[in-house]
């Protein structure tokens, strides 16, 4: 009995010591940030995540590494801003598919973003800097875009760098500091806008602060107007030059050219009011999908407001907007005032891309969540934020493990695609994928550096005369016959085409 009593206090003391050690470690920013960096490094794998945009970025970057001119799947019309492909193009000096290097670059962008984010939060939320930073970094949406070869990580890293520079410009008290930070910000915002043109809106955020400072007498009106123009003009000209290039290429290529982003702002099949209403629903949904743990892929079909998710997302959105208004009235950062302009722009552009357009606002959303949690009395904010971080991290690790396992299983598809493409090498006919495993179309685009049509419905192949890659066990109709097979894929062509080719070969032999 005495032995049991001696063991119990010993265990209690041991648990208390471990608890105190954990608290001391978590109170050290360097320890926490290093731990987050190690967690993010788990996404550095040599297995490429196939998406349509990623295959196009790879194509543009590859053309840059080859010495130009810049092309997207062989077309001079890029469709995507060139900033991100320029950043990743050095990786293609080491090979045609440097996927491990690309993953390392994405991790590097994520680390730069995290450092910039902590620097920003430390300035504006000294007591909540680590909470806001951790809430952003453990978010499942953030890990998704770190894993993919898309522009979000580079854009977010550049965005935080520019926000910190613009905040320094706003606080500058000498003429020399004002000039230096104006030049730095002008160059930075131009680079940001070349990664994604929407980045130019950060100038509007700074302009609001500058005008507010002039209105209250903190700075002169001439400084407010001059610095806003000097920061915004180069970026605006860069964006206009890119839009002009895309429009000119569309005219030159004619019907072969894909639409650009400006064309997609107006949906002809719906009224303006319906389009704006749908844009509002989509963006409200994306706010909730990012903030609520485990809801990243929970959304309603197009146009449907009466959905169980809506009853969660709408009140949450209103609470976040109230929290933002409370913060924006007290904190003088350019990032706070980008939100209304950024949100209005993306409401007018109601494309649903799986939270891709709202993910750059994640630092603001995390700050709003922290502000709401701080309204709770006593030690409850710590419990609320700690619980949110723990749940987010569990969800993120689970989804990351599942996605990494899926990418590993799909690696054999590269070899299958390469074998099938050897059969059609040099054939001028187009080819498409129909009924093929996920990612086959994008892998085919990377392998051939040409556009590959992704056809969902086999009925659309009734008049198609090109090659088709399909799953080995899939049947797309009696008009197509198998020309080759590799792994889980097979190459199909129309019977009449195959017969004509065989007759031509026979004729040449005779």
């Amino acid at each position: 009995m005495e032995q049991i009593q001696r063991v119990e206090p010993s265990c209690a003391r041991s648990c208390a010591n471990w608890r105190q050690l954990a608290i001391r470690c978590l109170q050290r920013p360097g320890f926490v940030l290093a731990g987050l960096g190690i967690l993010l490094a788990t996404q550095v794998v040599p297995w490429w995540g196939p998406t349509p945009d990623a295959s196009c970025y790879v194509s543009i970057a590859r053309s840059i590494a080859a010495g130009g001119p810049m092309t997207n799947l062989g077309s001079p019309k890029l469709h995507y801003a060139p900033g991100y492909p320029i950043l990743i193009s050095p990786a293609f000096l080491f090979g045609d598919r440097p996927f491990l290097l690309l993953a390392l670059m994405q991790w590097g962008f994520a680390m730069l973003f995290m450092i910039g984010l902590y620097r920003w939060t430390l300035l504006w939320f000294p007591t909540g800097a680590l909470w806001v930073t951790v809430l952003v970094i453990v978010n499942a949406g953030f890990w998704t875009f770190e894993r993919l070869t898309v522009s979000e990580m580079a854009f977010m890293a550049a965005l935080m760098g520019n926000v910190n520079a613009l905040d320094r410009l706003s606080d500058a008290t000498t003429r020399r500091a004002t000039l230096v930070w104006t030049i730095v910000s002008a160059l930075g915002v131009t680079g940001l806008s070349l990664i994604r043109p929407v980045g130019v809106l950060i100038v509007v955020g700074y302009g609001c602060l500058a005008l507010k400072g002039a209105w209250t007498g903190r700075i002169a009106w001439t400084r407010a107007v001059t610095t806003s123009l000097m920061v915004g003009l180069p970026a605006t000209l860069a964006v206009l030059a890119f839009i002009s290039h895309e429009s000119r290429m569309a005219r030159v290529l004619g019907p072969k050219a894909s639409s650009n982003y400006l064309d997609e702002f107006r949906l002809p099949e719906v009224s303006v009011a319906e389009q704006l209403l749908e844009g509002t629903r989509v963006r409200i949904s994306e706010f909730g999908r990012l903030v609520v743990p485990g809801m990243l892929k929970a959304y309603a079909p197009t146009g449907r407001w009466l959905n169980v998710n809506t009853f969660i997302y709408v009140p949450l959105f209103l609470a976040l907007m109230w929290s933002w208004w409370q913060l924006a009235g007290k904190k003088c950062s350019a990032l706070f005032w980008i939100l209304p302009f950024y949100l209005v722009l993306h409401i007018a552009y109601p494309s649903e891309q799986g939270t891709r357009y709202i993910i750059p606002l994640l630092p603001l959303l995390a700050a709003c969540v922290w502000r709401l949690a701080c309204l709770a009395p006593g030690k409850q904010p710590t419990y609320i934020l700690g619980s949110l971080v723990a749940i987010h991290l569990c969800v993120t690790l689970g989804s990351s493990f599942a996605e990494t396992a899926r990418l590993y299983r799909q690696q054999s598809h590269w070899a299958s695609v390469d074998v099938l493409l050897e059969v059609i090498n040099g054939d001028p006919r187009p080819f498409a994928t129909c009924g093929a495993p996920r990612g086959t179309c994008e892998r085919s685009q990377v392998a051939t550096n040409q556009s590959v049509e992704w056809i969902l419905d086999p009925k659309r192949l009734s008049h198609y005369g090109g090659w088709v890659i399909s799953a080995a066990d899939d049947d797309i109709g009696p008009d197509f016959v198998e020309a080759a097979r590799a792994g889980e894929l097979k190459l199909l062509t129309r019977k009449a085409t195959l017969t004509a080719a065989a007759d031509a070969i026979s004729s040449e032999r005779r």
Side-chain angles (χ1 to χ4, degrees):
M1 189 71 175
E2 291 179 0
Q3 185 177 2
I4 295 175
Q5 289 176 347
R6 284 197 300 269
V7 170
E8 286 181 351
S10 176
C11 291
R13 283 195 301 270
S14 178
C15 291
N17 291 337
W18 279 107
R19 183 172 179 271
Q20 290 299 322
L21 178 62
I23 291 174
R24 285 198 298 271
C25 290
L26 292 175
Q27 288 175 342
R28 295 180 179 179
F31 179 86
V32 175
L33 295 179
L36 293 175
I38 293 171
L39 281 174
L40 292 175
T42 61
Q43 303 308 294
V44 181
V45 295
W47 311 312
W48 183 69
T51 69
D53 289 355
S55 63
C56 293
Y57 282 127
V58 166
S59 176
I60 298 171
R62 190 187 285 159
S63 69
I64 296 170
M70 282 191 288
T71 57
N72 179 5
L73 301 176
S75 171
K77 184 179 180 299
L78 301 180
H79 190 72
Y80 301 90
Y84 176 66
I86 291 173
L87 289 175
I88 64 172
S89 60
F92 292 90
L93 299 175
F94 298 91
D96 202 44
R97 300 175 188 175
F99 297 143
L100 181 59
L101 277 176
L102 291 176
L104 281 169
M105 286 183 167
Q106 288 294 102
W107 178 76
F109 295 141
M111 292 299 293
L112 289 174
F113 166 76
M114 182 177 69
I115 294 169
L117 172 63
Y118 181 69
R119 164 68 179 78
W120 179 75
T121 55
L122 199 60
L123 179 63
W124 299 110
F125 317 105
T127 60
L130 276 179
W131 282 120
V132 175
T133 302
V134 172
L135 278 172
V136 172
I137 300 302
V138 302
N139 190 279
F142 184 81
W143 284 38
T144 296
F145 292 107
E146 186 212 347
R147 183 167 47 241
L148 299 175
T149 313
V150 290
S151 63
E152 271 59 41
M153 280 301 101
F155 179 78
M156 292 173 73
L159 177 64
M160 291 312 304
N162 279 282
V163 165
N164 287 321
L166 289 169
D167 288 347
R168 293 289 295 271
L169 172 59
S170 180
D171 291 337
T173 56
T174 66
R175 186 172 298 178
R176 176 184 174 83
T178 301
L179 179 61
V180 168
W181 285 110
T182 298
I183 295 172
V184 170
S185 299
L187 294 174
V189 174
T190 302
L192 176 71
S193 302
L194 287 175
I195 297 174
R196 280 181 61 183
V198 73
V200 76
L201 288 180
I202 193 61
V203 180
V204 183
Y206 169 76
C208 290
L209 290 184
L211 293 177
K212 180 182 178 181
W215 181 264
T216 58
R218 188 174 62 86
I219 63 173
W221 281 98
T222 52
R223 170 179 163 177
V225 175
T226 302
T227 55
S228 298
L229 289 176
M230 290 180 66
V231 170
L233 188 59
T236 302
L237 292 176
V239 172
L240 291 176
F242 174 68
I243 294 174
S244 175
H245 170 270
E246 289 296 283
S247 300
R248 182 167 56 86
M249 287 297 101
R251 290 194 298 271
V252 170
L253 296 175
K256 294 189 296 181
S258 61
S259 61
N260 56 43
Y261 289 123
L262 292 180
D263 298 330
E264 296 170 3
F265 265 94
R266 181 69 187 97
L267 303 178
E269 64 272 14
V270 298
S271 67
V272 174
E274 290 174 327
Q275 180 174 330
L276 294 177
L277 188 65
E278 175 62 8
T280 303
R281 187 194 66 81
V282 169
R283 302 311 165 208
I284 290 175
S285 172
E286 290 178 350
F287 273 52
R289 291 166 64 184
L290 286 172
V291 170
V292 182
M295 299 286 279
L296 186 62
K297 297 183 179 181
Y299 57 94
T302 302
R304 184 176 300 176
W305 280 86
L306 294 178
N307 182 271
V308 64
N309 296 318
T310 306
F311 296 101
I312 300 173
Y313 294 152
V314 170
L316 177 61
F317 175 79
L318 295 176
L320 291 171
M321 290 301 96
W322 177 85
S323 182
W324 166 80
W325 182 252
Q326 298 297 311
L327 291 172
K330 300 175 183 177
K331 312 296 182 182
C332 295
S333 174
L335 186 60
F336 288 110
W337 289 102
I338 193 179
L339 187 144
F341 305 98
Y342 189 98
L343 188 57
V344 166
L345 176 69
H346 286 87
I347 285 175
Y349 182 70
S351 176
E352 202 288 309
Q353 292 288 326
T355 73
R356 183 177 183 183
Y357 295 133
I358 300 300
I359 196 75
L361 299 181
L362 193 55
L364 279 179
L365 300 184
C368 292
V369 170
W370 171 80
R371 173 69 174 76
L372 290 171
C374 287
L375 297 177
K379 294 184 178 180
Q380 290 186 26
T382 301
Y383 299 143
I384 294 171
L385 293 169
S387 299
L388 275 175
V389 168
I391 298 171
H392 269 297
L393 184 58
C394 289
V395 170
T396 300
L397 290 174
S399 62
S400 172
F401 178 80
E403 181 63 18
T404 301
R406 184 184 67 82
L407 291 177
Y408 174 76
R409 291 193 301 269
Q410 290 183 350
Q411 288 314 294
S412 61
H413 294 172
W414 278 111
S416 300
V417 167
D418 290 337
V419 169
L420 297 182
L421 292 179
E422 288 181 4
V423 177
I424 61 177
N425 186 31
D427 193 311
R429 286 182 295 159
F431 72 96
T433 63
C434 182
R438 177 182 172 185
T440 303
C441 180
E442 292 81 4
R443 290 187 177 90
S444 300
Q445 290 191 149
V446 170
T448 61
N449 197 40
Q450 69 181 66
S451 180
V452 177
E453 191 175 1
W454 180 29
I455 298 175
L456 290 174
D457 187 359
K459 295 179 181 178
R460 291 181 53 197
L461 294 170
S462 57
H463 301 289
Y464 188 77
W467 297 96
V468 179
I469 295 179
S470 178
D473 57 353
D474 194 57
D475 182 13
I476 64 172
D479 294 335
F480 287 86
V481 294
E482 183 176 323
R485 179 180 293 240
E488 299 179 18
L489 305 177
K490 63 182 177 183
L491 181 67
L492 305 171
T493 187
R494 192 171 290 278
K495 283 182 179 179
T497 305
L498 190 64
T499 303
D503 292 343
I505 293 173
S506 300
S507 177
E508 289 178 1
R509 289 176 176 175
R510 287 196 297 268

